[in-house]
């Protein structure tokens, strides 16, 4: 029977943080046993925002190591460096010809990045969702484990798939997001989401216990005398959200009761939260170390998997070229 294909990618912009891990990687881990999965480090997307050419290769390797450390199993899923499979770019060009520019200009992520880097508004940035659609559709991905912030981009991918199918005949499935419990991890600052580009907002998956403690110590809290409902926003909300996801329901409940009874001690909560976060991350860090110390093992995986990915990708490109009416010469 045909197994559903799963695709997801993370930009090569630095170490993974808890948001990437809980919102995306946890979903990948859940799906790799059951489905045909391709998980990518999307380096072509990383160059759409300011970056250092001297550190791009390292940043790409870092995400690969974080993936392997987290438990992506090279025997169960394909691990891809996006730019090793140039068919991503080829498909994105074909798809770009059927999608309106005005729709791309309206996307919230484009507007946010434009505001964040007003001197770095490039074609690639505008084109990002088309390339992301091509990333998924190249493998005919049906499920996409990503955080909730990626929903507008997935909508674009579905619109493109629909439009292509109606113009050239049934070709692509409409990809759906696979949501994890941690689909939205708030920032340690208490404002917005945990984000690589916002200093002080994140805990990296490679942070040691002391670093985690120092980062949590800076999370803003209240006097501990408020009581009532747990706030929906701010530093206290972030602590409770992380406690629920990493400490479990029981521990979370204990602190909820303390909060309601106005006897919460945030120093204790932060200490316990640091411990449960570190407990979750320590096995990842140990496994990661093995791959870090054996780069040839990683290189062999990447080489072998790039070939396998390209085999699938070439079939899609052939089908798309034929359906769009390009000249195809058989060997
Ligand atoms: N805070 C988050 N909660 C849940 N999921 C999250 N993701 C990111 N932040 C959170 C998910 O992680 C994956 C990688 O996202 P990306 O490739 O877009 O990486 P990024 O944009 O570099 O990650 P950041 O931290 O969001 O960086 P900046 O600050 O540059 O925007 C996606 O599945 C995403 O949903």
């Amino acid at each position: 029977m045909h197994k559903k294909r799963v695709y997801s990618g993370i930009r090569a912009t630095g170490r993974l943080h808890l948001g990437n891990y809980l919102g995306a990687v946890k979903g990948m881990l859940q799906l790799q046993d059951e489905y045909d999965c391709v998980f990518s480090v999307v380096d072509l997307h990383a160059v759409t925002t300011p970056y250092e050419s001297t550190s791009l290769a390292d940043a790409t390797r870092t995400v690969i190591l974080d993936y392997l450390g987290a438990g992506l199993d090279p025997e169960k899923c394909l691990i891809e460096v996006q730019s090793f499979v140039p068919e991503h770019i080829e498909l994105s060009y074909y798809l770009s010809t059927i999608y309106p520019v005005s729709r791309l200009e309206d996307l919230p992520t484009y507007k946010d990045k434009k505001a964040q880097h007003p001197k770095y508004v490039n074609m690639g940035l505008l084109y990002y969702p088309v390339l992301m659609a091509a990333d998924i559709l190249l493998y005919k991905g049906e499920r996409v484990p990503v955080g909730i912030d990626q929903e507008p981009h997935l909508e674009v991918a579905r619109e493109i798939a629909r439009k292509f199918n109606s113009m050239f005949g049934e070709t692509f499935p409409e990809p759906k997001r696979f949501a994890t419990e941690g689909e939205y991890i708030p920032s340690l600052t208490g404002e917005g989401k945990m984000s690589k580009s916002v200093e002080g907002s994140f805990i990296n998956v490679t942070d040691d216990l002391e670093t985690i403690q120092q980062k949590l110590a800076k999370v803003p809290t209240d006097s501990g005398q408020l009581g009532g409902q747990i706030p929906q926003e701010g530093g206290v909300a972030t602590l409770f959200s992380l406690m629920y996801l990493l400490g479990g329901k029981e521990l979370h409940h204990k602190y909820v009761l303390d909060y309601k009874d106005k006897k919460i001690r945030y120093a204790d909560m932060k200490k316990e939260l640091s411990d449960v976060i570190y407990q979750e991350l320590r096995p990842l860090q140990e496994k990661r170390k093995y791959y870090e110390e054996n780069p040839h093992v990683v290189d062999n995986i990447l080489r072998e998997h790039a070939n396998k990915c390209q085999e699938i990708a070439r079939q899609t490109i052939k089908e798309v070229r034929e359906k769009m009416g390009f000249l195809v010469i058989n060997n």
Side-chain angles (χ1 to χ4, degrees):
M1 222 206 37
H2 156 80
K3 266 202 207 170
K4 274 200 176 128
R5 177 85 36 73
V6 171
Y7 178 90
S8 185
I10 292 190
R11 296 204 309 153
T13 46
R15 304 219 141 160
L16 296 196
H17 55 67
L18 270 185
N20 304 137
Y21 174 67
L22 297 169
V25 178
K26 279 275 198 180
M28 299 180 193
L29 292 170
Q30 279 177 51
L31 296 173
Q32 69 173 349
D33 289 324
E34 250 185 273
Y35 297 100
D36 264 345
C37 299
V38 180
F39 298 129
S40 187
V41 181
V42 288
D43 50 352
L44 295 169
H45 289 285
V47 299
T48 58
T49 45
Y51 80 102
E52 295 292 333
S53 59
T54 47
S55 50
L56 178 63
D58 269 352
T60 306
R61 217 169 246 288
T62 296
V63 179
I64 294 284
L65 291 175
D66 288 346
Y67 271 171
L68 291 166
L72 291 195
D73 182 345
E75 298 294 320
K76 291 181 181 165
C77 62
L78 293 174
I79 300 178
E80 175 205 64
V81 174
Q82 183 190 27
S83 65
F84 288 4
V85 182
E87 284 79 3
H88 284 277
I89 303 170
E90 185 173 354
L91 181 60
S92 72
Y93 177 75
Y94 298 141
L95 300 181
S96 75
T97 64
I98 63 165
Y99 201 71
V101 175
S102 56
R103 178 81 177 87
L104 295 172
E105 283 168 335
D106 273 347
L107 285 169
T109 38
Y110 175 65
K111 288 181 179 161
D112 289 351
K113 291 281 184 234
K114 239 171 98 172
Q116 210 176 345
H117 310 291
K119 298 212 170 110
Y120 214 87
V121 183
N122 56 74
M123 278 288 285
L125 191 63
L126 182 68
Y127 191 74
Y128 188 119
V130 179
L131 180 57
M132 179 167 155
D135 295 339
I136 302 164
L137 300 179
L138 187 61
Y139 296 108
K140 302 201 173 182
E142 290 176 68
R143 301 306 297 277
V144 186
V146 286
I148 200 164
D149 60 315
Q150 293 296 319
E151 196 51 73
H153 289 164
L154 273 177
E155 186 52 36
V156 173
R158 286 190 286 270
E159 284 170 17
I160 290 179
R162 229 174 285 142
K163 180 105 179 265
F164 189 97
N165 292 346
S166 76
M167 287 173 76
F168 305 112
E170 200 58 32
T171 309
F172 296 118
E174 289 186 27
K176 288 194 190 66
R177 189 167 72 89
F178 177 81
T180 61
E181 261 198 318
E183 64 179 11
Y184 178 86
I185 302 301
S187 161
L188 297 185
T189 62
E191 276 175 41
K193 76 171 185 102
M194 191 174 281
S195 228
K196 270 176 226 158
S197 55
V198 180
E199 210 35 61
S201 81
F202 56 83
I203 289 173
N204 283 325
V205 294
T206 46
D207 283 345
D208 59 21
L209 180 60
E210 205 186 334
T211 309
I212 298 170
Q213 285 166 345
Q214 285 164 359
K215 289 184 176 178
L216 287 186
K218 292 189 187 138
V219 176
T221 53
D222 52 46
S223 64
Q225 298 295 310
L226 294 183
Q229 292 301 317
I230 307 294
Q232 298 290 310
E233 283 176 359
V236 173
T238 300
L239 292 178
F240 273 95
S241 170
L242 291 176
M243 187 57 96
Y244 181 82
L245 291 165
L246 293 151
K249 290 190 177 88
E250 263 180 45
L251 206 51
H252 176 262
H253 188 61
K254 170 176 132 26
Y255 284 102
V256 170
L257 293 182
D258 283 355
Y259 184 89
K260 288 189 169 159
D261 293 344
K262 301 184 186 178
K263 59 175 195 199
I264 191 154
R265 290 166 55 97
Y266 290 115
D268 293 348
M269 185 181 184
K270 287 178 175 183
K271 184 178 175 311
E272 192 146 25
L273 185 57
S274 304
D275 289 343
V276 293
I277 293 175
Y278 185 60
Q279 265 170 40
E280 171 83 21
L281 298 181
R282 204 170 56 171
L284 177 156
Q285 295 173 7
E286 279 164 10
K287 196 167 203 175
R288 186 188 195 282
K289 198 158 178 275
Y290 162 77
Y291 287 106
E292 197 173 7
E293 287 167 357
N294 291 282
H296 64 284
V297 173
V298 177
D299 287 352
N300 285 342
I301 295 171
L302 294 182
R303 206 173 292 118
E304 198 186 303
H305 287 204
N307 288 336
K308 288 185 180 162
C309 285
Q310 237 178 341
E311 261 175 49
I312 309 170
R314 285 199 183 120
Q315 283 173 22
T316 307
I317 292 291
K318 182 167 179 287
E319 187 184 352
V320 165
R321 285 181 55 86
E322 282 173 359
K323 287 195 168 152
M324 287 184 80
F326 286 96
L327 176 64
V328 176
I329 302 175
N330 290 320
N331 290 327

